[in-house]
Amino acid sequence: MKKTVLPSILALLLLTGCGGNPATGPEQPGPTPDPAETTQAAPSDAPSVDGLADAASGVFTFVLDDATGDIVLPAEGPQDVEDLRTELAEDDVTYARVTVQNPDDGLPLEIDAVTVSTPEGQELEFRAAATVIEEWGAAANNGEPNPEVVGLVEEYSGAAVPGSTTDLLMIGGFPDIPDTISAVTVQPAGGAEPVEALVQPES
């Protein structure tokens, strides 16, 4: 009498087929990225922008050669710089932070100034932090070197190097920025033409 093998085959199929093969089954979707972790946060006291109804984000984007950058206006000042400013009895200032993404095949990028223009024609200039800190030290010490000043100048000097994302600190010699601005421009070092930074609308 022939033995039947059908029940054994069915059992094997049920064991291997019911749950699906994890090696060949559909790939499970990964976690959804949090937009707050990939974009710059807008400061709460950001200016509005003349002519744009919903542009109060305070984050401005520019393209310079192959590099792209984001400017946060105003930005929180680093504690070490603020402590030095207070110690040297310098007037209140406003900070801007520039984050530059420079591709591998780009060139080192330095920024001399970020200029904020108002509808009334006023222009306010943020300059590289190292330059401003060096001036503070020279004014307070009659040109004599101060180790604390020298250390901060070295810390906040430098360019956005290729193949990296670099934070550059800028300092404006004024206590705040106007409630409404009309343009933001970026002046690279070396005498190149300035470029306009475009506002990122609030999300």
Side-chain angles (χ1 to χ4, degrees):
M1 184 174 66
K2 293 184 179 179
K3 293 182 178 179
T4 177
V5 295
L6 184 58
S8 299
I9 295 173
L10 287 174
L12 182 62
L13 288 173
L14 288 172
L15 286 173
T16 60
C18 282
N21 187 345
T24 58
E27 186 175 346
Q28 295 298 317
T32 303
D34 184 355
E37 296 178 357
T38 56
T39 58
Q40 297 248 26
S44 59
D45 53 349
S48 62
V49 179
D50 185 46
L52 298 179
D54 137 359
S57 73
V59 181
F60 300 78
T61 299
F62 64 92
V63 177
L64 193 56
D65 295 329
D66 295 324
T68 60
D70 290 333
I71 307 168
V72 175
L73 286 174
E76 185 176 352
Q79 191 60 53
D80 52 2
V81 178
E82 273 293 280
D83 288 346
L84 178 67
R85 182 188 65 77
T86 303
E87 178 185 329
L88 299 181
E90 290 290 335
D91 293 337
D92 289 347
V93 297
T94 301
Y95 296 92
R97 188 168 294 278
V98 184
T99 301
V100 180
Q101 295 180 340
N102 204 347
D104 291 334
D105 57 351
L107 296 173
L109 174 63
E110 291 186 62
I111 295 176
D112 277 346
V114 171
T115 301
V116 172
S117 302
T118 70
E120 297 77 25
Q122 184 182 17
E123 292 190 344
L124 303 173
E125 186 177 75
F126 292 85
R127 296 184 296 148
T131 300
V132 176
I133 294 169
E134 196 168 28
E135 291 175 356
W136 290 349
N141 297 287
N142 295 319
E144 294 296 322
N146 176 319
E148 186 177 5
V149 171
V150 171
L152 286 182
V153 168
E154 291 178 353
E155 180 178 349
Y156 290 101
S157 293
V161 297
S164 70
T165 299
T166 307
D167 279 332
L168 304 174
L169 182 68
M170 312 294 290
I171 301 177
F174 35 86
D176 49 42
I177 53 179
D179 292 335
T180 303
I181 62 178
S182 57
V184 175
T185 55
V186 179
Q187 175 62 62
E193 288 294 318
V195 298
E196 185 176 1
L198 303 178
V199 71
Q200 292 183 9
E202 285 183 317
S203 56

